[in-house]
Amino acid sequence: FALLKNTRMLKAVQKNATKGDPESVISAIDYYCRHKEWAMNVGDEKGLILDSVLTEVNPSTALELGTYCGYSTVRIARLLSPGSKLITVEFNPAFAAVARQIIAYAGLQDKVTLVEGPSGDLIPKMKARFGIKSFDFVFLDHWKDRYVPDTKLLEDCGLVSEGSVLLADNVICPGAPEYLKYVRNSPRYESRYYKSNLEYTKVEDGLEKSVFLG
Ligand SMILES: Cc1ncnc2c1ncn2[C@@H]1O[C@H](/C=C/CNC(=O)c2cc(-c3ccc(F)cc3)cc(O)c2O)C[C@H]1O
Ligand SMILES: [Mg+2]
């Protein structure tokens, strides 16, 4: 049962990873999901692309939509420069509870603010609640039919500015066709597809990187 799966994943982290060592937390989750129970983490292969885009952008403020168990939250937060912040949004309280513990086990709780609730409700409150001017980096990995509405919401709320980078998971599998159409046809984005594989499988998937042109 999915929720219990995340508890088993947390136990695998507590058993196999070293407290305060993000790399060992990432490896423990990847090992568990590859050899024991598949789970929808961005994974090690697409994770390397996430790492490289993140290092290139070096964001001061980053947003993640869809925390799930916190695997990509740890991947992102471990690469943030001192003083930079990551806000991650998750509306399932059971997933949020596991994610909080995995983020804390990695020792990254000071860089991460996990906000519980639907992204559509929380995005309009970001400026007031967290004093965010705009996000330098956004990782989209929540329900795929929310990618377009939430991107439009980020634009309307002035939460993306010239040079902001959106990186979307799963644009091939499960797929986000409307999102690809939106960012690839819009004159306001410069988009690029990074071909890869669905986490822990040989099925094609990829990430779409879209730079907001203002
Ligand atoms: C709107 C909104 N607000 C806040 N949190 C939200 C939200 N929509 C989802 N969330 C949260 O994000 C997480 C959801 C992510 C959705 N991701 C997926 O559905 C997903 C699915 C697959 C996949 C591929 C092939 C298969 F055969 C089966 C599955 C792979 C992935 O990498 C995925 O991200 C958990 C959920 O509670
Ligand atoms: Mg995903």
Side-chain angles (χ1 to χ4, degrees):
F1 177 54
L3 297 189
L4 291 177
K5 168 162 74 172
N6 287 327
T7 312
R8 288 193 293 274
M9 194 192 298
L10 171 61
K11 293 226 175 334
V13 167
Q14 292 164 336
K15 178 166 168 282
N16 304 314
T18 308
K19 206 164 170 41
D21 174 4
E23 297 304 331
S24 71
V25 168
I26 291 165
S27 307
I29 294 174
D30 283 331
Y31 184 88
Y32 186 78
C33 295
R34 187 176 287 281
H35 301 291
K36 301 281 190 296
E37 291 188 274
W38 187 92
M40 58 184 178
N41 313 118
V42 72
D44 43 2
E45 195 178 328
K46 286 186 287 179
L48 287 174
I49 299 167
L50 169 60
D51 290 357
S52 67
V53 172
L54 207 85
T55 308
E56 173 199 324
V57 177
N58 187 27
S60 308
T61 55
L63 172 67
E64 175 181 59
L65 300 175
T67 315
Y68 186 42
C69 68
Y71 172 88
S72 44
T73 319
V74 168
R75 281 204 85 109
I76 294 166
R78 87 194 202 283
L79 295 177
L80 291 178
S81 304
S84 298
K85 293 292 290 175
L86 168 63
I87 295 177
T88 185
V89 173
E90 173 56 58
F91 64 18
N92 181 313
F95 291 160
V98 165
R100 285 188 202 286
Q101 295 174 79
I102 287 178
I103 293 160
Y105 198 84
L108 295 167
Q109 64 285 350
D110 297 344
K111 290 175 173 286
V112 178
T113 304
L114 195 163
V115 204
E116 283 188 48
S119 52
D121 296 358
L122 292 169
I123 287 169
K125 296 172 183 159
M126 290 283 166
K127 284 192 181 245
R129 228 193 246 187
F130 303 103
I132 302 283
K133 284 184 305 302
S134 78
F135 289 108
D136 307 311
F137 179 84
V138 182
F139 184 53
L140 298 95
D141 194 20
H142 57 337
W143 291 159
K144 310 312 160 193
D145 61 7
R146 289 297 311 174
Y147 283 18
V148 172
D150 284 351
T151 298
K152 289 180 173 171
L153 200 50
L154 287 165
E155 291 167 16
D156 297 345
C157 297
L159 284 166
V160 283
S161 52
E162 189 178 341
S164 292
V165 171
L166 306 185
L167 189 64
D169 190 24
N170 311 114
V171 294
I172 302 301
C173 177
E178 306 78 22
Y179 178 76
L180 285 183
K181 263 205 305 287
Y182 181 71
V183 287
R184 291 177 177 175
N185 298 344
S186 165
R188 303 181 80 187
Y189 290 95
E190 182 60 45
S191 263
R192 179 188 157 182
Y193 174 62
Y194 291 78
K195 185 176 186 301
S196 184
N197 291 301
L198 176 69
E199 48 266 31
Y200 319 117
T201 76
K202 290 185 171 43
V203 173
E204 179 179 345
D205 186 20
L207 301 168
E208 185 82 359
K209 175 191 166 191
S210 306
V211 184
F212 187 63
L213 303 173

